[in-house]
Structure formats: C-alpha cells, structure tokens
Amino acid sequence: MLELQHISFEAETDDGVHKILRDVSLTIDERMVVITGPNGSGKSTLAKIIAGIETPTEGTILLDGENITHLSITERAHKGISFAFQQPVRFKGITVFDLISIASGKKLTVSEACNYLSEVGLCARDYVNREVNGSLSGGELKRIEIATMLARGTKISIFDEPEAGIDLWSFNNLIKVFEQMYATIHGSILIISHQERILENADKIVVLADGEIRAVGDKDEIMPELMNASGICSRLVDRV
Amino acid sequence: MAMDLIQKRLLREVADLHDVPAGAYNIRADGQLAGRNTTANIDIVTKTDKPGIDIIVKPGTKNESMHIPVIIEKSGLQDLVYNDFFIGEDCDVTIVAGCGINNCGTQESRHDGVHSFFVGKNSRVRYIEKHYGEGDGRGTNVMNPTTIVELGEGGYMEMETTQIKGIDSTIRNTTAKLADGAQLIIKEKIMTHGTQYAETNFTVDLDGEDSSTNVISRSVAREDSRQMFNSNIRGNNRCAGHSECDAIIMDNASVGARPEITANSVEASLIHEAAIGKIAGDQLVKLMTLGLTEKEAEEQIVNGFLK
Ligand SMILES: Nc1ncnc2c1ncn2[C@@H]1O[C@H](COP(=O)(O)OP(=O)(O)OP(=O)(O)O)[C@@H](O)[C@H]1O
Ligand SMILES: [Mg+2]
C-alpha cells in the first residue's frame, strides 16, 4: 500500500515560487488507480515525487507503512516502485535487450526478453537488438517502456500516459496487458491517463486540477461528472 | 615462436588473438620481428631503407585476413615503424592491426606507427586498429599512429579505431585521398581518464566524382583527461562528406572539437555534426528507476555509448 500524506511541491521559476501540488493526500491499495485531470495540473509531478525524482516541499510518503520520503530513486526502485515515463528516454548504444535485462535485475535470456516484447505487441525478433535511440518511433518507445515495467514486476507500477502515441490495435491490448500484469504480480497499478477506456477500467479515479485533488471515487461516481467536462472547467474558472 | 604470458595477453587485447593467428601475420615484439606468416596471396617483406614492412596483396584476393600486431613490454622502448599495404584490384580483405604496451618500468614507452594503404580499383578493405596500454609502473605509454589512405576508383575502406584507457598520450593523424566512386568510413572510439591526452586529426580529400566519406567519432573523457578532435573534409568534386563528433564529458575533463568542411566544388555536399555534453540527467534517472545506482547507471551509459 502506498500512502501520500499532505504532499505539497513548490518550484522556483523566474517569476517567483510556483505551487505545483497543494496538500495532496491519497491512498493507493487498489488493483488499478487512475489519475486524470487537465494538462499542467501536476499529475506527472506527483508521479515523479512517488518515484523519488522530485522531493516534496512538504508531506510524507509511506510504502507498506515505511516512510520512504527521503529514500533515493534507486532505493525506492529496490523497494518495489517502477515508473514508466510520459516521455521515454533515448540512449545511444543501449539496446532494447540491455534495457529489459537491467529492468529485470537479473541475467535474462533473449527468449525471456522477447516474451516481454511480445506481450506489448512488438515483434520481438525485430526489436530485441535495436538501440533505444532516435531511430525508434514514439509509439515503439512507449511500448518498450511498458515492456520494461513487465520485466520489473514490482508491487507499485506507475504509468504516465501509457496510451499516448499507441495505435488502436494496441490500445485494446494495453488494457489486457494491465489486467495480466495484475494477475501475475498482484501489485497496484497507478495510471495517469486522459482516456475514457482506461478510466472505465479503474477501481479508483483521482481527479487532479491545479495541483489539488478535486475528486476521488470509483468510476460510477466520477465518470458522469467527468463526462460533463464543464464540471472541472467551471471550477477552474471559479478559481481564476 | 614462443610468447610469454604478458605478450599473449597484449595480443589478445589488441588483436583478439588467443594464439598464433591463421592466415597472414606479422608480429612485432619489443622492436623485433617475433613471427611472420605469408600466404599464396599475401606477401610480407621487410623494408630495407627503414624499419617496417611492405604487405602486398595480390589482385582478386577475397575473404582473407591479416594480423599486424605490435607489442611492447620493455619500459623505455621507442619504436617507430612504417607499414605499407599495397592492396591490388578487386580484393576483399580484413586487416587487424593494433598496439599493446605493458609498461611496468618508469620510463616512457612509445610506439609511432605509420600505416599507408594503397587500395586498388574496386577493392574493399576493413581495417581494425586497437590501442591498449597497461602497466603498474610510473612509465608513460605514448602512441602516435599515422594513417595514410589512398583509395582507388570504386575502392571502399572501413576503418575502426579503438583506444580505451591505458594510453597516456596520443596524437592520431589520418589523411585520405579518394578517387572516383571511392568511399571511406571511419569509426573512432576513445575513452580517456586520469591525466591522459588524446588528439585526433582527420583530413579527407574527396577528389573523385561521387566519392564519399563518413567520419564518426565517439568519445568519453573522464577525470582530468583532455581530448581534441580536428577534422577537415574537403569536397573537391561532386561528392558527399559527413562527419560527426559526439563526446561525453565527465568530472574535470576537457574536450574540444574543431570540425572543418571545405567545399571546392558547387557539387560537394558536406555536413558536420558535433555535440559535447555531460551524460543526460534523464538517462541517469531512467536507469536509477530500474534499480541501478548512479555509478552503475553511468557505467551502462558510457559502455553503451562506446559499444
Ligand atoms: N521543476 C519545475 N519547475 C518549474 N515548473 C515546473 C516544474 N515541474 C513542473 N512544473 C510545472 O508544473 C505544472 C505541472 O506539470 P506536470 O508535468 O506535473 O503536469 P501534468 O499534469 O503531468 O500535465 P500533462 O497532462 O500535460 O502531462 C506545469 O505547469 C509545469 O510547467
Ligand atoms: Mg504529464
């Protein structure tokens, strides 16, 4: 179980201090939790704070009751947190196989690496020896990023907009990948998404707007409100 | 020919050789000939006017390889050697050269090799050169390789040079002249550390119509080491030239790149790309989220970059 308690995050910019997250408290214990909300509302920042990439200005993060607020990225990775980036990183010279091996934390055979790639719909033989560099398309990189998450197999898996750039065929499979992931790992999957189809599969939906949690609930509670998009927007307008 | 263990290890490092190679070879150890083999198509002759050898490859020689390693174990040895490769027409050969120095003394050991390649019409040559130094003394290892390439009409040469650690000072000079339709690919990999200095100078003259070259340099400079990359590609005809210098800089190191392209023909198309920078922060972060420490992540990135 992952618990965020009163998380705030401020960033210094040229025009002063920016409050990006304000007093965010959240428990993630369900099979699949989805965070949604407008662009710039602080979703990726929250994910980075969980992974240890950003340090919160205030607040505490507990993983299975242990305070991990001050642990490094590496230590959190070892404790069981994985994070698929919104924008996957490119590497010159590091192959898809290398990356999946590193993610798995053990010496992988090529056929094991290929299995992970096949699960995300990539024809493994074509990809396993390719470099994770600019020659891969955006959608391919996103899928490789997801394959590394499968190889990690940790109790908390965070996906930042996994559907971005993924075509329709893959989109159906993406949902299956999450279901299968849960079936084998039994961990919690935290997904940042704007996609109705992904929201529909959530056990819990969190709506973030302007750095604050606006609503938390199951899909039956949240979806109708979201569909009536003016709901969030009008509240945003209220703030201004 | 009897080799000691150190010589065998140096040979393995510079030529991937575990023992005496198959095919043609010429092994030079501590300034002396330590072994030679010629084949029906490849002749090796000792020069009479200066130290070095002539390697003569008969026209039409296909799929043959030759190994020309140099190993130095004596601290303080200053070795200068001229190797001339005469490759006939329509050949397809692989040449593996390299220099390994084991300097356990306190003096400077030095190897300056001048390698000239005269590549005949429509011949293909793959040239692999590795430089490796080791030692537990305070003697410095110096290597200054010079490579001169003349590619005949339709000739093709791919040159791969690697220098990973161990060499304290190196100035590498490569000059090439290309005839019609000739193509030259150069791939250079360098890693320096400590207080090492590495300088590379490439001058390529694209004289022939439809000649082309691609010079790719990847390097990593760590600790207090310094590197300098100079290249000049001159397009003297309808031709295509591309050079690319990509360097990772770490610690207190310093890297310079002075790329020059000169077009002496309106039909010349020349491009240079150069990038020097530290390891990208998001690359480190990504590998750390996969469980590596910062140090391990750095190693992975550098190894991949130089692979
Ligand atoms: N280190 C930082 N310094 C300054 N501003 C930052 C920093 N990190 C994030 N921000 C700002 O915080 C806000 C939230 O960014 P974040 O990337 O978390 O949004 P998001 O909800 O993921 O948006 P999107 O849906 O577009 O991905 C943005 O306005 C962004 O510009
Ligand atoms: Mg985002």
Side-chain angles (χ1 to χ4, degrees):
Chain A
M1 182 167 72
L2 185 71
E3 289 170 86
L4 305 179
Q5 300 176 338
H6 309 291
I7 297 289
S8 291
F9 181 73
E10 292 173 355
E12 294 237 22
T13 54
D14 294 340
D15 49 337
V17 177
H18 237 63
K19 262 207 177 282
I20 292 163
L21 292 172
R22 303 153 196 264
D23 196 20
V24 172
S25 293
L26 185 64
T27 304
I28 295 150
D29 198 22
E30 295 77 359
R31 182 189 63 113
M32 195 200 244
V33 176
V34 177
I35 301 182
T36 193
N39 293 135
S41 56
K43 304 179 298 295
S44 294
T45 305
L46 191 62
K48 287 178 191 164
I49 284 174
I50 298 170
I53 299 166
E54 299 279 11
T55 311
T57 322
E58 278 170 69
T60 307
I61 309 165
L62 302 177
L63 179 64
D64 294 332
E66 183 192 351
N67 188 342
I68 61 162
T69 320
H70 299 289
L71 294 190
S72 69
I73 302 172
T74 310
E75 287 167 321
R76 291 186 209 202
H78 288 301
K79 298 250 179 226
I81 294 177
S82 301
F83 178 30
F85 291 13
Q86 185 169 2
Q87 262 132 13
V89 180
R90 294 161 203 257
F91 297 89
K92 276 184 186 157
I94 293 184
T95 62
V96 173
F97 176 75
D98 295 336
L99 204 64
I100 295 176
S101 300
I102 295 168
S104 75
K106 55 175 200 233
K107 263 211 159 0
L108 269 196
T109 64
V110 172
S111 81
E112 284 170 309
C114 285
N115 286 341
Y116 293 123
L117 288 172
S118 305
E119 280 189 60
V120 296
L122 290 177
C123 179
R125 205 165 305 163
D126 297 347
Y127 286 94
V128 75
N129 289 319
R130 281 184 66 178
E131 289 183 21
V132 189
N133 62 16
S135 74
L136 290 165
S137 77
E140 288 167 341
L141 280 167
K142 276 301 244 196
R143 294 203 221 178
I144 290 161
E145 188 86 351
I146 296 167
T148 64
M149 297 290 276
L150 298 175
R152 292 267 299 144
T154 55
K155 57 187 170 196
I156 305 285
S157 303
I158 308 166
F159 293 87
D160 197 347
E161 299 196 23
E163 76 275 10
I166 289 196
D167 54 56
L168 272 178
W169 176 88
S170 315
F171 195 77
N172 292 327
N173 284 272
L174 191 61
I175 310 245
K176 281 196 202 126
V177 166
F178 293 135
E179 279 165 1
Q180 214 155 30
M181 192 169 178
Y182 181 77
T184 48
I185 305 166
H186 300 294
S188 293
I189 302 172
L190 176 62
I191 304 175
I192 294 170
S193 178
H194 300 286
Q195 268 293 331
E196 197 183 329
R197 294 275 306 280
I198 289 182
L199 294 168
E200 275 166 4
N201 278 271
D203 300 303
K204 178 153 103 184
I205 297 173
V206 179
V207 182
L208 200 67
D210 199 19
E212 285 178 338
I213 292 184
R214 284 300 162 82
V216 181
D218 65 26
K219 55 177 176 280
D220 299 326
E221 297 166 315
I222 304 290
M223 287 297 278
E225 198 178 339
L226 277 178
M227 289 301 105
N228 171 18
S230 60
I232 294 171
C233 289
S234 61
R235 284 191 221 176
L236 276 175
V237 172
D238 290 347
R239 284 201 137 266
V240 175
Chain B
M1 182 187 70
M3 284 191 291
D4 66 25
L5 282 175
I6 292 175
Q7 288 181 328
K8 281 190 175 173
R9 187 175 66 244
L10 291 174
L11 266 187
R12 202 162 54 229
E13 290 292 344
V14 298
D16 286 328
L17 292 179
H18 294 277
D19 217 318
V20 175
Y25 63 82
N26 190 88
I27 301 171
R28 185 179 173 90
D30 286 331
Q32 305 285 320
L33 179 64
R36 174 178 295 173
N37 187 45
T38 59
T39 67
N41 293 323
I42 302 173
D43 199 14
I44 301 176
V45 186
T46 304
K47 279 188 185 297
T48 49
D49 54 338
K50 52 190 174 188
I53 50 176
D54 286 339
I55 299 99
I56 301 134
V57 180
K58 275 195 193 155
T61 302
K62 302 264 185 196
N63 301 320
E64 285 202 38
S65 66
M66 63 212 89
H67 289 83
I68 320 287
V70 169
I71 50 188
I72 297 177
E73 249 189 286
K74 267 194 198 129
S75 183
L77 188 86
Q78 313 271 319
D79 196 21
L80 170 69
V81 65
Y82 295 86
N83 293 340
D84 292 347
F85 297 80
F86 299 92
I87 316 286
E89 296 184 359
D90 298 312
C91 292
D92 188 345
V93 293
T94 300
I95 301 165
V96 181
C99 178
I101 297 184
N102 173 286
N103 186 353
C104 288
T106 54
Q107 288 169 289
E108 175 180 294
S109 293
R110 177 182 185 127
H111 174 72
D112 295 342
V114 181
H115 289 200
S116 302
F117 295 85
F118 304 95
V119 179
K121 212 168 156 179
N122 297 326
S123 279
R124 295 177 68 86
V125 175
R126 185 155 175 251
Y127 175 53
I128 302 160
E129 190 185 85
K130 278 192 186 176
H131 285 168
Y132 175 78
E134 59 179 27
D136 27 32
R138 280 173 311 277
T140 49
N141 297 331
V142 179
M143 285 186 200
N144 294 321
T146 297
T147 310
I148 298 162
V149 178
E150 282 185 27
L151 281 183
E153 213 174 295
Y156 172 90
M157 180 155 158
E158 193 179 313
M159 173 173 161
E160 274 173 47
T161 68
T162 309
Q163 178 185 314
I164 307 291
K165 294 184 166 178
I167 310 299
D168 298 293
S169 171
T170 181
I171 297 178
R172 170 191 299 280
N173 290 310
T174 303
T175 57
K177 276 182 183 304
L178 278 69
D180 288 356
Q183 188 181 9
L184 174 67
I185 312 284
I186 298 174
K187 293 179 188 164
E188 170 187 75
K189 287 175 199 164
I190 300 177
M191 184 162 96
T192 52
H193 66 157
T195 56
Q196 295 171 349
Y197 177 68
E199 177 182 321
T200 49
N201 303 301
F202 293 103
T203 305
V204 181
D205 270 297
L206 297 168
D207 293 337
E209 200 169 86
D210 296 324
S211 57
S212 65
T213 190
N214 194 2
V215 177
I216 302 162
S217 168
R218 278 199 183 175
S219 71
V220 175
R222 21 182 24 152
E223 297 166 6
D224 298 306
S225 65
R226 290 171 304 131
Q227 294 181 7
M228 188 67 223
F229 171 90
N230 296 305
S231 74
N232 189 358
I233 297 179
R234 291 192 284 245
N236 307 322
N237 206 326
R238 186 174 78 202
C239 61
H242 178 253
S243 77
E244 171 182 331
C245 161
D246 208 339
I248 292 180
I249 176 168
M250 297 167 77
D251 312 312
N252 300 311
S254 140
V255 177
R258 226 179 277 129
E260 195 178 329
I261 44 184
T262 312
N264 295 316
S265 158
V266 288
E267 303 285 354
S269 152
L270 306 173
I271 298 171
H272 178 78
E273 297 170 66
I276 303 171
K278 63 176 185 206
I279 294 177
D282 61 349
Q283 293 185 340
L284 285 173
V285 164
K286 179 73 243 183
L287 295 185
M288 282 153 67
T289 64
L290 300 180
L292 300 189
T293 62
E294 190 169 349
K295 201 106 206 94
E296 289 164 345
E298 223 173 70
E299 285 299 314
Q300 280 285 346
I301 293 164
V302 166
N303 278 341
F305 185 71
L306 292 177
K307 199 162 56 190

